[in-house]
Amino acid sequence: MTDRSSFGKDTTTDEVLEGIDLSGKTIIITGGTSGLGQESARAMAARGASVIITGRDLDKARAVATRIGGDVSIEELELGSIASIRAFAQRILKKRTEIDILINNAGVMASPYAETNDGFELQFGSNHLGHFLMTTLLMPALGEGSRVVSLSSSAHHFAPVMFDDIGFKAKDYDKWAAYGQSKTANALFAVGLNARLKSKGAEAFSVHPGVIQTELARHMTEEDMAMFAEGIEAGTIPMKSIPQGAATQVYAATAPELTGMGGAYLADVQIAPVEEDTEDMTKVRPYALDETAAERLWDISEEMVSTV
């Protein structure tokens, strides 16, 4: 039996799930067709869960589900489309009365300026607003013991939510600031969501998975790649394998020892220390857990999605 107190940066999904039975559990993983989402689906299906993976390419999703085996089904979802999100939620609620675990895993990173189908800046719109709307629509199916896990990132260090100009309408677009803002929003969403789930006996968490080579890096330029390569070589950017990278989100979704700790931000398969102005990738800045900012973000997010 794995010593769960020894979990850390090298821990894998299978180690996190050792001794945990997920039979009878319904799990939804956005962006489950590659990378961390696919690995999370594989590991949790192997423990008996009924897993739904979402993707934009249904042929790719079917191939992944077949490869994983077990009770894995697919659903089409485009997080950059309010219409797609609403249709997805309606389908899920017709099929499922209970959702035990929702992992908001999908994302886009450091993309050139673009907008979602509904005119929102792409990174904030897909990474945060899309998951915000989908999760709130699925809340009727979240009950006692349910967990929602949102993938944030140490990139939240790059920027808080810039409430005065979320969509970069008044200032020049900065792809890394936009990504950082969206990752701060993911953490704040977990704080706001957890407050709303308490009465249902459910909880929400956010996580930093680590630095992993996945399709998330598809928008990175040669200059970006060179910067990361330099950090990796210098040891300032530690790399993880995909099973190690997915371990923290799987842990947040299933660990019995986290019961009652909702709203927390995790890194390296443990609750991350909070530290002002930190550059340590395993620590979280206070503004990403600020309850007042979380409520402000919730109100603004509701307003933004309701206008579509």
Side-chain angles (χ1 to χ4, degrees):
M1 182 70 179
T2 300
D3 175 10
R4 298 180 67 81
S5 66
S6 68
F7 287 165
K9 65 181 180 63
D10 297 324
T11 301
T12 66
T13 47
D14 288 331
E15 290 170 337
V16 162
L17 291 173
E18 184 177 339
I20 291 180
D21 183 7
L22 296 176
S23 299
K25 302 290 187 183
T26 295
I27 299 171
I28 298 176
I29 304 174
T30 66
T33 59
S34 65
L36 305 186
Q38 181 177 327
E39 168 60 16
S40 298
R42 179 207 65 78
M44 299 172 97
R47 291 290 172 177
S50 174
V51 180
I52 300 167
I53 59 173
T54 78
R56 292 174 293 180
D57 183 336
L58 290 183
D59 289 337
K60 181 179 180 180
R62 278 190 203 94
V64 169
T66 299
R67 188 160 59 248
I68 291 173
D71 185 2
V72 179
S73 58
I74 65 171
E75 284 284 349
E76 184 175 14
L77 175 63
E78 168 54 74
L79 287 162
S81 165
I82 298 294
S84 175
I85 294 165
R86 292 190 186 280
F88 167 79
Q90 288 178 351
R91 294 195 305 271
I92 293 296
L93 293 176
K94 283 182 180 178
K95 297 175 185 177
R96 307 278 178 168
T97 57
E98 294 182 5
I99 298 169
D100 298 288
I101 295 169
L102 172 59
I103 300 181
N104 293 332
N105 166 85
V108 60
M109 179 177 75
S111 61
Y113 183 82
E115 295 180 352
T116 67
N117 292 8
D118 306 293
F120 303 120
E121 186 276 314
L122 180 64
Q123 296 192 77
F124 186 83
S126 296
N127 294 349
H128 169 63
L129 284 179
H131 282 122
F132 171 86
L133 177 60
M134 181 203 67
T135 303
T136 54
L137 290 174
L138 293 180
M139 279 179 69
L142 300 173
E144 183 72 34
S146 295
R147 288 190 186 176
V148 179
V149 180
S150 294
L151 261 70
S152 180
S153 167
S154 64
H156 78 271
H157 295 172
F158 297 164
V161 174
M162 296 169 280
F163 289 108
D164 61 332
D165 188 18
I166 287 174
F168 290 85
K169 301 299 185 185
K171 58 180 176 291
D172 290 341
Y173 178 72
D174 181 316
K175 66 182 182 181
W176 287 111
Y179 182 60
Q181 169 178 249
S182 75
K183 294 294 102 179
T184 296
N186 291 148
L188 289 174
F189 175 50
V191 173
L193 180 62
N194 191 69
R196 289 160 174 80
L197 290 177
K198 281 183 179 179
S199 62
K200 298 166 70 74
E203 296 186 279
F205 298 87
S206 62
V207 305
H208 164 56
V211 180
I212 309 102
Q213 184 63 47
T214 70
E215 290 184 12
L216 186 65
R218 61 188 175 276
H219 292 295
M220 289 177 64
T221 64
E222 289 186 9
E223 183 180 356
D224 294 330
M225 291 294 191
M227 177 188 69
F228 270 82
E230 184 177 328
I232 292 165
E233 187 174 340
T236 57
I237 300 179
M239 292 291 291
K240 289 186 178 184
S241 68
I242 287 177
Q244 291 169 341
T248 302
Q249 64 201 60
V250 170
Y251 178 73
T254 63
E257 59 266 34
L258 290 178
T259 300
M261 299 181 183
Y265 172 104
L266 286 77
D268 285 352
V269 201
Q270 54 190 288
I271 293 178
V274 181
E275 186 175 305
E276 191 81 49
D277 298 326
T278 182
E279 298 299 330
D280 187 331
M281 297 174 70
T282 66
K283 295 179 179 179
V284 58
R285 292 191 177 182
Y287 61 66
L289 298 176
D290 184 85
E291 293 180 4
T292 301
E295 290 305 308
R296 185 179 182 187
L297 176 65
W298 192 283
D299 291 343
I300 288 172
S301 301
E302 279 191 330
E303 182 180 345
M304 292 175 78
V305 299
S306 69
T307 61
V308 178

